[in-house]
Amino acid sequence: NGLNIKGINSFGEDADGNVYIVDQSGGEIFRIITDMRIDAAPLVAGQQGTFRITGATANSQSYFAYSLNGLGDTTIPQLNVRLGLQNPKLLGQAKSNASGTAVIQRFIPGNASGLTVWLQGAEIGNTSNVTKQDIQ
């Protein structure tokens, strides 16, 4: 909002899936932020996990994806998006409410303790941030 980027000199992605661009004229670095966000309460093996997407389009279908393999670049043609996950799997889907929030609960397998999971939300034409959690 109100940024005056003259030209993109470079771009990159950090370990958490955040995308950055470098302005050619001033050398400034900008992080690209999406309004759609995904988060989860601390995940504990053998218990229910709660996953939440915010900033989705109101009353739209939201999809919750996960990966145990880390970051990647996976095209999902049915949604017209590219996920930042390697070998993503569908965790579930839910319709967002009038304020753009969708929530699902899923059981975390008892043998998942110590694993790392990467999460991302999506809807048609839009994706969320990628977040990473270690399962307790």
Side-chain angles (χ1 to χ4, degrees):
N1 297 348
L3 300 178
N4 190 9
I5 299 173
K6 305 278 189 230
I8 297 174
N9 187 32
S10 182
F11 65 93
E13 182 177 9
D14 67 18
D16 293 324
N18 296 306
V19 176
Y20 298 84
I21 59 173
V22 178
D23 181 11
Q24 182 175 342
S25 65
E28 292 179 276
I29 299 174
F30 298 92
R31 184 173 72 170
I32 298 173
I33 299 173
T34 178
D35 288 336
M36 189 174 176
R37 308 289 298 168
I38 189 169
D39 65 73
L43 301 175
V44 179
Q47 296 184 14
Q48 287 278 56
T50 301
F51 304 86
R52 179 182 324 275
I53 292 174
T54 57
T57 302
N59 303 308
S60 69
Q61 196 67 26
S62 295
Y63 299 87
F64 296 76
Y66 76 97
S67 172
L68 298 175
N69 302 112
L71 300 176
D73 183 17
T74 306
T75 300
I76 309 295
Q78 301 89 331
L79 296 178
N80 192 30
V81 297
R82 291 172 69 172
L83 295 180
L85 303 175
Q86 182 179 352
N87 300 319
K89 306 286 186 222
L90 182 64
L91 183 63
Q93 60 189 41
K95 187 174 181 180
S96 62
N97 63 19
S99 62
T101 299
V103 178
I104 63 170
Q105 290 192 321
R106 293 293 180 268
F107 181 76
I108 310 301
N111 63 351
S113 180
L115 294 178
T116 299
V117 63
W118 288 261
L119 304 165
Q120 188 170 19
E123 63 183 1
I124 293 177
N126 191 19
T127 61
S128 74
N129 62 310
V130 174
T131 187
K132 178 176 98 171
Q133 274 205 32
D134 294 324
I135 299 174
Q136 302 172 17

